[in-house]
Amino acid sequence: MAELITDRDLRHAIESEIRNANKFVFIVSPYIDLDEDMMKAFNSLKSEVVKIIVYRQSDKSNFKSGISNGSREFLKSLPNVEFVAVKNLHAKFYINEEVGVISTMNLTKSSNHNYEIGVDINREEDDEMYFECLEYLLKGIFLGQDSNIDIERIKNIIPKRPFILEANAKTVFINGEVLDINTFKSFHDFCNTKHGYCIRCSNTEISFYPNQPFCSKCFLEWNKFKNPDYEEKYCHRCGMETNTEINEPLCDNCVEVYEFEMEREWKKTKVKK
């Protein structure tokens, strides 16, 4: 859930977001003047992490841009860095592949002493808000008349939306798109798993289908109280003893495999269209 943060906590959240980026990090700040801690955060990144620096372009009466010379030279020394100058930029937000911060804070040394406020968002918990930030960056800023970036550069640096599966017994959404439940069930014909494990008793005499992870006996027991957060004992796919529940019946490893298989079949249907 999105969380309100202020002052030092806000600065720490931005620094942590930079430091923990594994694929990309977008810095959207009209004014940028990095202090030593922020430079260390950038230096800690793997070379393959794409770093997009979006700053304010000054008007013609002032040739100095919103990014200090020292910060520009430092960032230019890093691999996979893109600079985007935007006239009239006032928005400030920072985002990597997992989290984002919408903020009043510029990424400058002087901001460390200001009263600042922001919102910390998590892609997994705040999916809609997270992608609205990326959409605003793309459509509202990059594709606006005040940006100096062209379409080809945008294609190279904008991250693709990851595969997101939301499913229950009656409805399935993939990347926000409604999928017919029967089509979704047909994907299971191509799963490597041929039977499931009851997440309460590990009975293997049930089909593998994460929306129905109980054997009939255990479902009747669960149905007496209908507590979706009740802690169960086994992974529905591999049978490993682990903490599960009816809405999260797979261990972390099986979630990755299952989503890979679902994405593979989903892409096949998209190609046919």
Side-chain angles (χ1 to χ4, degrees):
M1 181 179 294
E3 178 183 2
L4 196 68
I5 47 178
T6 60
D7 305 334
R8 290 190 178 184
D9 289 338
L10 175 58
R11 186 186 181 285
H12 175 72
I14 295 170
E15 181 183 338
S16 176
E17 179 189 299
I18 295 170
R19 191 180 298 276
N20 292 317
N22 289 309
K23 296 180 180 178
F24 65 86
V25 60
F26 286 97
I27 304 298
V28 183
S29 176
Y31 301 100
I32 298 174
D33 184 21
L34 302 177
D35 62 19
E36 186 176 347
D37 289 337
M38 288 297 179
M39 288 184 181
K40 287 181 179 178
F42 276 105
N43 269 328
S44 70
L45 294 175
K46 297 177 182 178
S47 60
E48 62 266 25
V49 175
V50 177
K51 310 155 194 76
I52 314 301
I53 313 299
V54 186
Y55 60 92
R56 185 181 179 99
Q57 181 179 330
S58 61
D59 59 34
K60 294 180 180 179
S61 64
N62 183 355
F63 290 100
K64 291 184 178 179
S65 70
I67 183 170
S68 69
N69 291 334
S71 295
R72 178 184 286 276
E73 290 306 309
F74 165 74
L75 291 167
K76 281 172 61 178
S77 71
L78 302 176
N80 284 320
V81 172
E82 287 275 356
F83 294 95
V84 182
V86 180
K87 295 178 183 177
N88 303 315
L89 180 68
H90 192 65
K92 308 164 191 74
F93 60 96
Y94 312 87
I95 193 165
N96 67 21
E97 69 277 359
E98 295 294 340
V99 296
V101 176
I102 304 171
S103 168
T104 62
M105 181 181 286
N106 282 296
L107 204 61
T108 63
K109 299 171 186 176
S110 60
S111 294
N112 297 342
H113 309 291
N114 296 342
Y115 293 103
E116 305 280 2
I117 193 169
V119 178
D120 192 13
I121 57 178
N122 184 289
R123 192 194 79 191
E124 185 175 339
E125 299 174 359
D126 311 297
D127 172 74
E128 185 174 351
M129 186 184 300
Y130 173 89
F131 283 104
E132 283 178 351
C133 285
L134 285 181
E135 185 175 14
Y136 176 67
L137 179 63
L138 173 61
K139 296 182 179 179
I141 297 178
F142 284 178
L143 294 180
Q145 295 181 348
D146 292 331
S147 168
N148 73 344
I149 190 170
D150 59 33
I151 294 295
E152 289 306 313
R153 282 180 68 202
I154 290 175
K155 289 179 181 178
N156 289 334
I157 66 176
I158 288 292
K160 295 180 180 179
R161 183 172 180 136
F163 180 76
I164 298 175
L165 170 65
E166 302 171 79
N168 59 43
K170 297 181 180 179
T171 312
V172 176
F173 292 89
I174 291 181
N175 289 3
E177 179 180 331
V178 179
L179 186 69
D180 175 72
I181 193 71
N182 291 323
T183 301
F184 180 71
K185 286 180 178 179
S186 71
F187 291 174
H188 291 268
D189 294 338
F190 298 94
C191 286
N192 291 328
T193 306
K194 301 307 178 186
H195 70 79
Y197 293 81
C198 173
I199 61 175
R200 180 166 295 189
C201 72
S202 75
N203 186 333
T204 60
E205 296 180 2
I206 62 173
S207 299
F208 171 66
Y209 190 53
N211 289 348
Q212 298 172 0
F214 288 115
C215 66
S216 57
K217 178 183 176 182
C218 290
F219 177 75
L220 290 175
E221 293 176 356
W222 178 86
N223 203 43
K224 292 177 183 177
F225 302 98
K226 295 183 172 66
N227 180 3
D229 300 319
Y230 189 82
E231 192 172 286
E232 305 296 347
K233 300 178 181 178
Y234 303 97
C235 171
H236 177 56
R237 182 179 182 275
C238 70
M240 182 178 73
E241 192 167 340
T242 185
N243 293 335
T244 54
E245 56 191 52
I246 190 169
N247 290 328
E248 295 182 5
L250 306 180
C251 67
D252 290 343
N253 288 336
C254 287
V255 166
E256 289 187 17
V257 175
Y258 175 64
E259 290 190 348
F260 170 79
E261 292 174 332
M262 292 300 101
E263 182 178 15
R264 179 190 63 203
E265 300 307 316
W266 177 74
K267 284 181 176 178
K268 289 180 183 178
T269 65
K270 301 295 285 185
V271 169
K272 290 178 182 177
K273 291 181 181 179

